[in-house]
């Protein structure tokens, strides 16, 4: 299941796209507050964004620029003004594709599925875990944030992977130690604490403060 965010002020059209996309088993969030979209984007943390060019307060180009500051999530523009200049502008502003209005359901389905395949692997499993603009690549165990690569040890990578896989949920210390032990690295509680502390320092140095939170008596959480 993918999370799709729709930024479209025509509520009737937004609802129609929502219903179409949900038929594939995906989760869709339609933006209601067009004056300040980024808090909603951060909360939802979508796998893809559909954004209209003409919007109240700020246009779709502006919001794509804001999204690109923290995320590489695919962005597809929507517009009735499907002339060459708008299409070129959309691509130059960081867009991945362009769908003209009125939106044809079959075109919408094909474009979104193609963009999802390009962004994520063909099996439907996501090869990266992303949160707040930080991208953990599961293929090469690398972490990147704002074009900076953050080097992780084997244990740091596994800890961060498990926390991101359970984003929004508390992961107990026992669960973390069990995961590390199952992957050939036996650790004691003190060793786990040292690894988490070092990982936090690396994240904070890169600008990711309070990325991993401690829930006293419970464990750790990324939220």
């Amino acid at each position: 299941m993918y999370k799709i965010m729709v930024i479209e002020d025509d509520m009737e059209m937004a609802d129609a796209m929502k219903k179409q996309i949900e038929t594939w088993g995906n989760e869709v969030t339609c933006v209601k507050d067009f004056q300040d979209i980024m808090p909603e984007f951060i909360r939802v943390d979508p796998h893809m964004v559909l954004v209209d060019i003409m919007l109240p307060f700020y246009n779709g180009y502006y919001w794509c620029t804001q999204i690109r500051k923290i995320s590489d999530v695919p962005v597809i523009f929507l517009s009735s003004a499907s002339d060459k200049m708008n299409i070129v502008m959309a691509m130059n502003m960081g867009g991945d594709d362009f769908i003209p209005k009125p939106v044809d359901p079959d075109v919408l389905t094909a474009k979104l599925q193609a963009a999802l395949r390009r962004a994520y692997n063909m099996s439907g499993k996501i090869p990266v875990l992303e949160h707040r603009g930080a991208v953990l690549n599961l293929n090469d165990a690398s972490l990147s944030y704002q074009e900076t690569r953050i080097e992780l040890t084997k244990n740091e990578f596994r800890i961060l992977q498990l926390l991101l896989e359970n984003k929004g949920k508390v992961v107990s210390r026992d669960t973390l130690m069990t995961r590390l032990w199952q992957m050939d690295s036996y650790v004691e509680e003190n060793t786990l604490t040292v690894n988490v502390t070092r990982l936090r320092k690396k994240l904070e140095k890169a600008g990711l403060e309070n990325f991993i939170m401690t829930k006293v008596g419970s464990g750790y959480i990324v939220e």
Side-chain angles (χ1 to χ4, degrees):
M1 180 185 75
Y2 292 97
K3 292 181 291 184
I4 313 295
M5 173 172 276
V6 175
I7 307 174
E8 167 59 68
D9 61 322
D10 183 333
M11 291 297 106
E12 186 175 342
M13 180 177 294
D15 187 59
M17 289 192 291
K18 182 177 188 291
K19 291 177 180 177
Q20 173 71 10
I21 298 169
E22 286 178 339
T23 60
W24 322 331
N26 296 305
E27 178 183 332
V28 181
T29 298
C30 293
V31 169
K32 299 291 194 302
D33 181 2
F34 296 96
Q35 190 167 6
D36 193 8
I37 289 172
M38 294 312 294
E40 181 88 351
F41 174 84
I42 293 170
R43 181 187 68 80
V44 174
D45 195 18
H47 296 110
M48 175 174 291
V49 174
L50 291 173
V51 57
D52 189 16
I53 291 178
M54 299 303 295
L55 293 167
F57 303 105
Y58 305 96
N59 63 28
Y61 299 136
Y62 171 83
W63 291 119
C64 183
T65 301
Q66 297 305 302
I67 289 170
R68 282 289 169 262
K69 290 180 180 179
I70 62 171
S71 176
D72 291 324
V73 64
V75 175
I76 296 182
F77 280 96
L78 309 166
S79 179
S80 55
S82 57
D83 56 86
K84 182 178 179 181
M85 182 175 293
N86 274 290
I87 294 173
V88 171
M89 185 72 167
M91 299 302 103
N92 288 340
M93 295 300 289
D96 294 270
D97 210 334
F98 189 100
I99 299 178
K101 291 183 179 180
V103 176
D104 181 284
D106 293 332
V107 172
L108 175 66
T109 299
K111 292 268 191 179
L112 262 66
Q113 288 180 341
L116 287 169
R117 282 197 301 271
R118 289 194 298 269
Y120 309 111
N121 68 19
M122 296 298 292
S123 67
K125 295 179 181 178
I126 304 171
V128 300
L129 295 171
E130 182 177 0
H131 182 60
R132 284 174 49 185
V135 179
L136 186 67
N137 189 314
L138 304 186
N139 291 334
D140 63 8
S142 68
L143 178 68
S144 58
Y145 178 67
Q146 294 184 346
E147 300 183 353
T148 299
R149 184 184 175 96
I150 304 166
E151 296 297 331
L152 301 177
T153 66
K154 182 170 60 177
N155 281 349
E156 289 168 351
F157 166 74
R158 290 170 177 171
I159 289 168
L160 189 55
Q161 179 184 359
L162 186 57
L163 291 173
L164 288 173
E165 286 173 347
N166 293 274
K167 186 166 52 179
K169 301 176 183 177
V170 176
V171 179
S172 70
R173 292 175 62 85
D174 285 344
T175 299
L176 282 165
M177 287 189 291
T178 299
R179 167 68 76 92
L180 295 176
W181 177 75
Q182 288 175 342
M183 302 175 90
D184 79 16
S185 299
Y186 175 75
V187 295
E188 298 177 336
E189 284 208 15
N190 186 57
T191 306
L192 176 62
T193 300
V194 171
N195 276 273
V196 172
T197 299
R198 287 176 178 170
L199 175 57
R200 277 177 166 156
K201 287 181 179 178
K202 289 182 179 181
L203 295 171
E204 289 171 359
K205 185 177 181 181
L208 291 163
E209 297 184 356
N210 300 318
F211 195 84
I212 299 173
M213 304 296 292
T214 299
K215 296 295 182 180
V216 179
S218 300
Y220 303 98
I221 185 172
V222 168
E223 56 183 0

